[in-house]
């Protein structure tokens, strides 16, 4: 097991040199506005031209009791002048707005990192609530970090005094004061935040002014305070990116926009049936504001009604879409079977969260893969595709729409809580650059004088017939139906033929060949991922390759059916490692479909993989490399988080564990 | 229903080529005929008519009507119908459900389609039994119903479909029964109503719950046991010899004798289909001491759900340009290089070689 070095990192950059990337974590009470602070810092960072990735981590409780450990909300951002793929492993800077925030997040902080703490909140009462026996700012327990502690509360009250706010209201600007300081530290422009505050509080200009004053005061504090010690201004130059127009985007926005684009490429109005559930609701919220794009949103009475209404809309000729997270997807299972049976297009978005049951509503996991691929009654094949990042979700949503209408089938699109909430810069695409796939409804009988609603085209798809079309009246339903007429038919040969036809249609879906995300197409080790593990796998493989290891990163978008060349591609590697945030579900699919000895690296702590965790696992396949004997990777111990912050070093596991679950060390 | 150009059809035009598969003598045959007789009278267009059903004996109904038909899953027909109406409000949608489908597994959806007031006709065939699964008791079975799942008789109190509908906010509630000659008139009234129209149709299951409605439905002496409500007419039955009075002291209904046709003297009330309070009393009126209330019990339209959605969409869309390119580039953006006005392609990840100079993204540093 990796241990956290107690001393300062050996590999220290020359003082004053600009680092390539910095990880900052803002942590406070769920009422302290940390997500908002993080979001605004993200914006100013994006506008400064840095690449970035964020990770909001907040409790499931809306307003947990103030000052408690379980009420801590955090927002982490990794930004730099090089390509950023993850929200970063260990923060360089931790902003702790109260003792609980310090306690919960300290374990993750890099040794030698900087703690900024508000002494105004380190009262006896708050220390008790955070279960501190003595004040960590005073008792020397933070010796391995740099600490910058001052009374942000008092400074904020002072700054907003001219606006005549009470203390309670004044303190609500504390996050803006802190943001101002952070903007100074990283040489960021304040103007976008000022503009945003003015727009947000248009109706209450005095609140806007107070917040701006707090922001400026925090900034001025950094500039003028005569403090010797850790607080220094750091400048991160912009990243070199492809030329173009950029914006930041979260996965939920990206999926929504991709669905709108997909419906337009299909030349169809879109119907979205949803039911509130974390972390999927944001898609419903986004789409509800896009009515002018031919989008109808419907908040149904439950998950089942949401999908059934979407199928009803598809039946009537629109592109039906529904969205949920694991527990809601479970409820939709029977209706998915009906969409498969009646062969109607439908897109089902699953923003996965920790399970089973209610599980971890606000934490991320990839454990609904079996549910997506295998989780229905009967032989009910359905395409499954997965987004790798917030920006990627746009293209994946379009692809889901294409498959749904071209093959007359429901399609499952997998994202997860991390993708849904995280933001990254997105190079805004030109919608004209996407190939259209316009839908053609059947307008007249397709077999002379006869209508055959289940006669298939070359893709195996049946015609889409809108009610309201004269002369094409017919009946469909969930009962097994005749291969061509669609009339009820229970005969043995017919059920065999229909089962085969449904399976063949999905098996033969045209899926692009699998590419290699990084590295050669043969070699010692292929690290095969899917979904939101893209970032950490990519960085870990890149680092391993810099050490000369023969390792490639392959990231699979099309989970079902798999790309036709995947088996051949993986056969070119000696070993195949599949890291995923579940107990090895994609590994099972690969073994099942390709008969290869795919090995698992699993993590189910509700936190994304850290780069260092993957780097360490990769290293074990290369014990004959100089300096890497016995598989002891000189992984950057500084970077390895401790178990308290979600790193699975084996110590989190109970005595009893599945012999199948392979643990890193 | 919808305003549409009347189409000339006959009963035959509404018969599909599928063989009807209900048990001989089932009340569903009579209801099917009544519907096929009603549709031509409405001037309905088979191409614009959709029958949607759930699961159960009644839910096979769409297969036998020559229109569009969707036989869905157990209890969820109201949700499918809602999606269909939102996607195309021009379609004339009839929903077919039963006491198990509509009030047990699908009770939630029935409640919400009524509350939202989606413009559909809902026919709930109530036979007080699960037929297709071979005779278990249903949520409308009377206490003491002996079935394979209740060998000592059922002990739970039955639901009252019309009271449920009214309680859920329905703006049209009516009752009929399978072999009644008045059923087409009830269906016509349901169709004329703009909004969710709920019709409970008592239906005789000859195999598992035979003649359970004979107490009021059998032709002999029917007039004494059936109160057919007509808007604006006094509530009279038994050939006008009896009527319903509202007792103002107890705020409850009473059966009174009418002498020499002078119903006014007897205090018999006139049926006002818009009176929601009286409707509540009529649906709760116990059979036995009272006749069975049949016909249109309540009819007071309100704006429909899909109408409101269409209106809101039109308002939200007015004057707004649906440019996808603009939508994608919305919010605070920044440009890199000089070709920002023509952004194409998406972000690509470099295919680095081992040892290629790539940034690590994260580095240690001290003394920030």
């Amino acid at each position: 097991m990796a241990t956290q070095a107690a001393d300062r990192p050996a590999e220290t950059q020359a003082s004053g040199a600009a680092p390539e990337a910095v990880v900052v974590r803002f942590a406070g009470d769920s009422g302290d506005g940390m997500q908002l602070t993080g979001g605004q810092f993200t914006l100013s960072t994006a506008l400064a031209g840095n690449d970035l990735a964020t990770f909001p981590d907040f409790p499931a409780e809306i307003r947990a009791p103030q000052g408690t450990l379980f009420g801590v909300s955090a927002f982490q951002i990794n930004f730099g002048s090089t390509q950023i793929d993850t929200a970063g492993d260990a923060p360089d800077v931790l902003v702790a707005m109260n003792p609980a925030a310090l306690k919960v997040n300290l374990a993750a902080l890099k040794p030698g990192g900087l703690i900024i703490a508000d002494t105004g909140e380190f009262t006896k009462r708050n220390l008790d609530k955070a279960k501190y026996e003595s004040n960590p700012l005073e008792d020397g327990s933070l010796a391995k970090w740099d600490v910058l502690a001052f009374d942000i509360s008092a400074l904020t009250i002072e700054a907003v005094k001219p606006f005549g706010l009470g203390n309670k209201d004044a303190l609500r600007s504390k996050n803006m004061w802190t943001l101002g300081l952070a903007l100074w530290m990283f040489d960021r422009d304040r103007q976008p935040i000022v503009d945003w505050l003015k727009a947000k509080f248009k109706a209450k200009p005095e609140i806007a002014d107070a917040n701006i004053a707090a922001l400026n005061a925090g900034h001025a504090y950094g500039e003028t305070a005569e403090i010797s010690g850790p607080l220094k201004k750091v400048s991160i130059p912009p990243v070199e990116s492809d030329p173009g127009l950029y914006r930041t985007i979260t996965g939920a926005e990206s999926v929504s926009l991709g669905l709108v684009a997909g419906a337009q490429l299909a030349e169809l109005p879109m119907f979205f049936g949803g039911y509130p559930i974390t972390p999927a609701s944001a898609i419903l919220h986004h789409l509800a504001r896009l009515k002018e794009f031919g989008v109808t949103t419907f908040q149904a009475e439950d998950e089942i009604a949401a999908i059934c209404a979407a199928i009803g809309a598809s039946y009537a000729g629109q592109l039906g879409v529904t969205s949920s997270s694991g527990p809601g997807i479970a409820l939709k299972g029977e209706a998915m079977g009906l969409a498969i049976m009646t062969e109607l297009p439908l897109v089902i978005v699953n923003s996965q969260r920790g399970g089973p049951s209610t599980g971890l509503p606000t934490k991320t996991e990839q454990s609904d893969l079996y549910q997506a691929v295998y989780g229905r009654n009967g032989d009910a094949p359905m395409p499954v595709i997965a987004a790798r990042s917030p920006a990627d979700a746009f293209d994946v949503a379009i692809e889901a729409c294409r498959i749904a209408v071209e093959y007359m089938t429901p399609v499952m699109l997998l994202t997860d809580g991390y993708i849904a909430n995280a933001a990254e810069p997105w190079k805004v695409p030109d919608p004209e650059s996407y190939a259209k796939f316009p839908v053609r409804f059947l307008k007249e009988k397709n077999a002379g004088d006869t209508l055959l609603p289940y006669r298939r085209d070359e893709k195996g798809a049946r015609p889409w017939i809108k009610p309201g079309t004269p002369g094409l009246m017919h009946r469909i339903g969930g009962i097994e139906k005749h291969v061509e007429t669609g009339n009820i038919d229970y005969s043995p040969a017919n059920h065999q033929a229909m089962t085969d036809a449904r399976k063949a249609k999905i098996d033969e879906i045209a899926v692009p060949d699998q590419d290699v995300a990084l590295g050669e197409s043969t070699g010692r080790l292929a690290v095969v991922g899917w979904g939101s593990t893209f970032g950490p796998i990519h960085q870990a493989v890149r680092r391993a390759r810099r050490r000369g290891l023969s390792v490639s990163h392959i990231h699979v978008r099309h989970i079902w059916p798999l790309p036709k060349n995947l088996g051949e591609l993986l056969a070119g590697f000696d070993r195949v490692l599949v890291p995923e945030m579940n107990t090895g579900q994609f590994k099972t699919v690969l073994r099942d479909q390709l008969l290869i000895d795919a090995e698992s690296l699993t993590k189910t702590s509700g936190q994304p993989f850290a780069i260092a965790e993957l780097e360490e696992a990769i290293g074990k396949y290369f014990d004959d490399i100089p300096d890497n004997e016995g598989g002891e990777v000189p992984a950057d111990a500084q970077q390895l988080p401790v178990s308290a912050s979600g790193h699975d070093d084996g110590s989190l596991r109970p005595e009893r564990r599945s012999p199948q679950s392979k643990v890193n060390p | 229903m919808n305003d549409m150009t009347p189409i000339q059809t006959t009963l035959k035009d509404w018969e599909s080529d599928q063989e009807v598969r209900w048990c001989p003598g089932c009340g569903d045959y009579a209801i099917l005929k009544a519907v096929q007789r009603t549709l031509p009278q409405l001037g309905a267009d088979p191409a614009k008519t959709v029958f949607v059903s759930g699961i159960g004996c009644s839910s096979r109904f769409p297969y036998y009507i020559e229109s569009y038909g969707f036989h869905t899953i157990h209890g969820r027909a109201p949700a499918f119908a809602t999606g269909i109406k939102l996607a195309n409000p021009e379609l004339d949608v009839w929903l077919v459900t039963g006491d198990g489908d509509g009030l047990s597994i699908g009770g939630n959806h029935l409640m919400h389609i009524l509350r939202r007031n989606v413009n559909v006709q809902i026919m709930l065939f109530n036979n007080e039994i699960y037929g297709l699964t071979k005779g278990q008791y249903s949520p409308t079975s009377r206490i003491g119903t002996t079935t394979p799942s209740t060998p000592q008789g059922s002990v739970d109190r039955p639901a009252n479909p019309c009271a449920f509908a009214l309680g859920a906010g329905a703006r049209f509630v009516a009752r009929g029964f399978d072999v009644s000659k008045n059923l087409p008139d009830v269906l016509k009234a349901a169709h004329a109503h703009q909004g969710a129209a709920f019709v409970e149709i008592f239906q005789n299951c000859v195999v598992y719950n035979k003649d359970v409605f004979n107490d009021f439905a059998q032709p002999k002496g029917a007039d004494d046991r059936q109160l057919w409500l007509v808007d604006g007419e006094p509530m009279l039955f038994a050939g006008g010899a009896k009527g319903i009075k509202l007792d103002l002291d107890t705020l409850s209904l009473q059966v009174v004798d009418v002498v020499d046709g002078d119903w006014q003297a007897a205090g018999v009330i006139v049926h006002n289909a818009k009176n929601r309070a009286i409707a509540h009393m009529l649906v709760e009126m116990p059979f036995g001491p009272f006749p069975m209330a049949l016909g249109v019990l309540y009819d007071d339209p309100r704006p429909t759900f899909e109408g409101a959605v269409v209106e809101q969409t039109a308002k939200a869309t007015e004057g707004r340009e649906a440019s996808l390119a603009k939508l994608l580039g919305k919010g605070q953006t920044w440009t890199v290089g000089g070709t920002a006005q023509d952004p194409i392609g998406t972000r690509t990840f470099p295919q680095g070689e081992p040892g290629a100079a790539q940034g690590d993204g994260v580095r240690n540093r001290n003394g920030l």
Side-chain angles (χ1 to χ4, degrees):
Chain A
M1 127 176 205
T3 52
Q4 187 149 336
D7 52 351
R8 293 292 169 93
E11 230 186 308
T12 306
Q13 290 202 340
S15 183
E20 283 179 337
V22 175
V23 180
V24 181
R25 186 182 292 192
F26 298 94
D29 220 41
S30 33
D32 278 345
M34 290 296 104
Q35 300 304 323
L36 200 139
T37 307
Q40 290 307 307
F41 187 77
T42 302
L43 181 64
S44 70
T45 297
L47 293 174
N50 288 136
D51 198 7
L52 62 90
T54 69
F55 179 42
D57 190 11
F58 45 86
E61 294 75 18
I62 298 300
R63 283 285 155 86
Q66 221 178 352
T68 54
L69 293 168
F70 52 87
V72 172
S73 170
F75 185 100
Q76 183 163 316
I77 174 169
N78 182 9
F79 59 100
S81 49
T82 58
Q83 184 184 312
I84 302 290
D85 291 323
T86 79
D89 289 3
D92 300 287
V93 180
L94 169 65
V95 180
M97 300 303 283
N98 68 8
L102 180 67
K103 186 155 206 178
V104 170
N105 291 286
L106 190 60
L109 186 63
K110 202 176 287 178
L114 172 64
I115 298 165
I116 299 176
D118 177 9
T119 55
E121 288 289 330
F122 279 68
T123 58
K124 172 82 173 65
R125 191 152 170 270
N126 282 345
L127 289 165
D128 285 349
K129 279 195 213 166
K131 303 193 170 26
Y132 271 120
E133 283 173 12
S134 62
N135 189 342
L137 300 177
E138 291 161 2
D139 65 9
S141 61
L142 305 178
K144 65 177 175 179
W145 295 282
D146 288 325
V147 178
L148 185 62
F150 46 92
D151 197 338
I152 295 175
S153 301
L155 288 164
T156 304
I157 291 173
E158 183 66 28
V160 304
K161 201 183 263 172
F163 302 95
L165 301 176
N167 268 8
K168 202 176 160 199
D169 283 335
L171 284 173
R172 296 178 72 171
S173 304
K174 235 175 16 176
N175 59 341
M176 285 299 127
W177 196 99
T178 315
L179 182 59
L181 182 67
L183 293 176
W184 173 81
M185 276 181 78
F186 299 105
D187 199 13
R188 298 281 178 255
D189 189 7
R190 273 166 291 162
Q191 196 54 43
I193 318 292
V194 171
D195 294 344
W196 174 78
L197 284 167
K198 281 186 175 157
K200 184 176 166 72
F201 297 109
K202 209 190 298 180
K204 296 177 185 165
E206 70 283 2
I207 302 286
D209 289 344
N211 275 299
I212 293 164
L215 182 80
N216 289 337
H219 193 269
Y221 184 87
E223 201 147 81
T224 60
E226 291 184 25
I227 38 173
S228 57
L231 188 64
K232 289 195 179 66
K233 195 164 179 170
V234 177
S235 197
I236 311 265
V239 65
E240 282 180 33
S241 305
D242 286 348
L245 179 71
Y246 285 78
R247 61 176 283 193
T248 59
I249 195 157
T250 66
E253 283 176 293
S254 181
V255 166
S256 309
L257 294 176
L259 290 169
V260 170
Q264 297 224 329
L265 293 168
E267 297 179 357
L268 290 177
M270 190 218 296
F271 178 95
F272 182 92
Y275 182 77
I277 185 169
T278 304
S281 305
I283 297 175
L284 172 60
H285 304 167
H286 285 301
L287 289 173
R289 296 177 170 278
L290 298 178
K291 293 189 170 65
E292 69 269 31
F293 289 91
V295 177
T296 301
T297 54
F298 172 58
Q299 182 179 318
E301 59 268 28
D302 61 24
E303 296 283 3
I304 298 169
I307 185 172
C308 291
I311 295 171
S314 279
Y315 171 69
Q318 298 200 349
L319 177 59
V321 181
T322 188
S323 146
S324 188
S325 190
I329 297 292
L331 285 167
K332 296 180 196 290
E334 186 193 7
M336 284 179 215
L338 182 71
I340 290 167
M341 194 65 159
T342 52
E343 303 190 42
L344 287 167
L346 178 73
V347 176
I348 304 143
V349 184
N350 180 355
S351 304
Q352 301 167 93
R353 64 192 215 185
S357 187
T358 306
L360 293 84
T362 59
K363 310 292 178 194
T364 195
E365 210 163 271
Q366 298 180 297
S367 47
D368 297 345
L369 188 75
Y370 286 161
Q371 184 192 39
V373 174
Y374 305 116
R376 286 165 297 281
N377 64 302
D379 279 304
M382 186 168 79
V384 179
I385 62 174
R388 62 164 64 155
S389 71
D392 184 52
F394 179 78
D395 285 356
V396 172
I398 291 175
E399 178 73 345
C401 297
R402 181 187 71 81
I403 295 173
V405 299
E406 287 189 351
Y407 293 88
M408 294 292 285
T409 179
V411 177
M412 174 83 77
L413 192 173
L414 294 176
T415 74
D416 59 34
Y418 177 71
I419 291 178
N421 291 322
E424 69 176 357
W426 180 47
K427 187 174 164 188
V428 178
D430 177 4
E432 298 297 318
S433 65
Y434 289 86
K436 287 191 169 189
F437 39 89
V439 165
R440 282 189 303 276
F441 292 98
L442 193 68
K443 292 275 190 266
E444 49 198 30
K445 293 190 168 96
N446 57 349
D449 285 347
T450 316
L451 169 67
L452 296 174
Y454 277 78
R455 174 165 281 185
R456 295 167 194 281
D457 65 11
E458 69 286 354
K459 288 192 167 91
R462 78 177 189 93
W464 194 353
I465 309 163
K466 260 199 280 197
T469 312
L472 300 189
M473 287 79 73
H474 66 287
R475 275 65 56 191
I476 60 169
I479 296 187
E480 186 60 284
K481 49 192 58 58
H482 183 267
V483 286
E484 289 208 308
T485 64
N487 292 328
I488 294 177
D489 191 335
Y490 298 133
S491 69
N494 185 72
H495 182 52
Q496 182 74 53
M498 282 300 262
T499 304
D500 292 347
R502 284 188 289 263
K503 181 172 183 334
K505 178 175 84 170
I506 303 306
D507 286 351
E508 295 306 316
I509 286 174
V511 165
D513 269 355
Q514 181 63 47
D515 60 357
V516 179
L518 180 62
E520 296 76 21
S521 52
T522 57
R524 175 85 69 90
L525 176 68
V527 184
V528 181
W530 68 278
S532 74
T533 52
F534 181 88
I537 293 176
H538 207 68
Q539 282 290 6
V541 169
R542 178 179 293 153
R543 289 186 196 176
R545 292 174 59 77
R546 287 173 64 179
R547 290 209 306 272
L549 308 187
S550 168
V551 51
S552 297
H553 175 201
I554 291 167
H555 215 76
V556 181
R557 172 186 282 182
H558 289 269
I559 306 290
W560 197 274
L562 290 167
K564 296 274 178 292
N565 69 327
L566 185 61
E568 202 183 321
L569 178 63
L570 295 183
F573 292 88
D574 300 341
R575 307 284 289 273
V576 173
L577 175 66
V578 186
E580 48 187 334
M581 296 185 289
N582 57 44
T583 57
Q585 300 188 8
F586 189 50
K587 169 218 66 185
T588 305
V589 173
L590 290 176
R591 287 183 179 182
D592 161 34
Q593 294 295 299
L594 306 175
L595 279 176
I596 57 161
D597 183 19
E599 295 172 82
S600 257
L601 176 71
T602 70
K603 178 170 183 174
T604 53
S605 65
Q607 301 291 326
F609 276 107
I611 298 164
E613 290 174 317
L614 294 164
E615 217 182 338
E616 195 177 25
I618 291 167
K620 292 189 189 316
Y621 289 86
F622 297 93
D623 63 356
D624 54 346
I625 298 278
D627 298 330
N628 198 30
E629 290 83 1
E632 279 306 314
V633 202
D636 195 342
Q638 308 300 335
Q639 295 284 352
L640 271 183
V642 296
S643 56
S645 61
H647 171 57
D648 182 9
D649 57 10
S651 63
L652 294 171
R653 307 267 169 136
E655 288 291 304
R656 275 173 160 288
R657 76 171 66 135
S658 159
Q660 282 190 11
S661 107
K662 204 167 178 183
V663 182
N664 185 23
Chain B
M1 67 148 275
N2 296 283
D3 300 319
M4 54 179 78
T5 321
I7 301 280
Q8 291 284 336
T9 58
T10 64
L11 187 152
K12 283 273 169 221
D13 293 324
W14 294 92
E15 289 177 350
S16 79
D17 60 356
Q18 295 299 293
E19 200 182 329
V20 183
R21 298 189 189 196
W22 289 310
C23 309
C26 175
D28 288 350
Y29 284 96
I31 302 172
L32 177 63
K33 273 281 175 281
V35 171
Q36 286 167 334
R37 195 171 293 133
T38 306
L39 289 164
Q41 297 177 36
L42 298 171
D45 180 354
K48 290 183 178 162
T49 303
V50 185
F51 278 80
V52 183
S53 65
I55 294 291
C57 291
S58 60
S59 291
R60 295 294 183 93
F61 201 92
Y63 289 111
Y64 310 132
I65 298 263
E66 184 56 23
S67 70
Y68 283 92
F70 199 175
H71 179 214
T72 70
I73 50 177
H74 205 11
R76 321 299 174 196
F80 289 94
T82 302
I84 292 168
K85 283 297 278 188
L86 284 173
N88 185 357
E90 297 304 310
L91 295 172
D92 190 13
V93 176
W94 295 75
L95 208 144
V96 187
T97 183
D99 42 314
D101 189 64
L103 287 171
S104 200
I105 192 168
N108 190 32
H109 309 301
L110 185 57
M111 170 170 101
H112 289 282
I113 196 171
L114 292 169
R115 142 183 104 71
R116 289 193 181 104
N117 200 27
V118 181
N119 190 9
V120 298
Q121 295 76 242
I122 302 164
M123 298 186 289
L124 186 143
F125 299 6
N126 182 9
N127 59 11
E128 298 188 1
I129 206 81
Y130 280 89
L132 203 58
T133 50
K134 302 199 191 307
Q136 300 83 359
Y137 84 118
S138 91
T140 54
S141 298
R142 297 163 203 187
I143 291 178
T145 302
T146 305
T147 74
S149 62
T150 50
Q152 288 86 28
S154 62
V155 294
D156 41 342
R157 291 172 48 79
N160 176 338
C162 285
F164 172 89
L166 208 54
R171 309 300 306 186
F172 180 99
V173 176
R175 269 200 198 125
F177 59 93
D178 45 15
V179 294
S180 165
K181 64 175 181 1
N182 293 338
L183 187 56
D185 287 337
V186 174
L187 296 176
K188 272 187 271 181
H191 192 260
H193 176 87
Q194 295 285 322
F198 180 83
V199 185
E200 177 186 17
I201 304 172
F202 297 109
Q203 174 245 324
N204 190 9
C205 174
V206 293
V207 175
Y208 295 110
N209 216 12
K210 195 171 182 333
D211 298 337
V212 73
F213 302 115
N214 263 5
D215 44 9
F216 70 84
Q218 63 174 319
K220 199 178 166 206
D223 199 37
D224 295 344
R225 295 185 298 270
Q226 297 175 6
L227 170 68
W228 284 93
L229 295 154
V230 181
D231 191 29
E233 299 287 328
M235 296 186 188
L236 294 170
F237 63 106
K242 288 174 191 269
I244 302 293
K245 176 190 167 183
L246 177 64
D247 182 80
L248 293 176
D249 291 334
T250 60
L251 270 187
S252 59
L253 300 178
Q254 282 180 351
V255 174
V256 289
D257 291 323
V258 177
V259 183
D260 296 334
D262 192 352
W263 56 268
Q264 279 153 313
V268 172
I269 53 175
V270 171
H271 182 48
N272 173 5
K274 291 190 193 309
N275 188 326
R276 199 168 175 84
I278 296 292
H280 275 289
M281 294 183 187
L282 288 171
V283 298
E284 294 281 5
M285 203 168 71
F287 178 72
F290 289 89
M292 177 59 76
L294 296 162
V296 179
L297 278 56
Y298 180 65
D299 182 1
D300 188 15
R302 285 285 183 278
T304 66
F305 176 59
E306 69 272 23
V309 170
V310 166
E311 196 179 313
Q312 194 180 54
T313 301
K315 209 175 275 178
T317 305
E318 206 182 334
R320 292 183 76 170
E321 186 199 1
S323 159
L324 189 57
K326 279 191 185 153
L327 175 68
L328 301 186
K330 224 171 137 183
Q332 275 176 290
T333 55
W334 66 98
T335 54
V336 175
T339 58
Q341 295 314 308
D342 183 27
I344 46 163
T346 48
R347 191 167 176 226
T348 52
F349 291 91
Q351 307 262 319
E353 292 301 312
Q358 296 277 358
D360 261 354
V362 181
R363 266 272 164 85
N364 287 307
R365 80 207 58 76
N366 204 5
L368 268 171

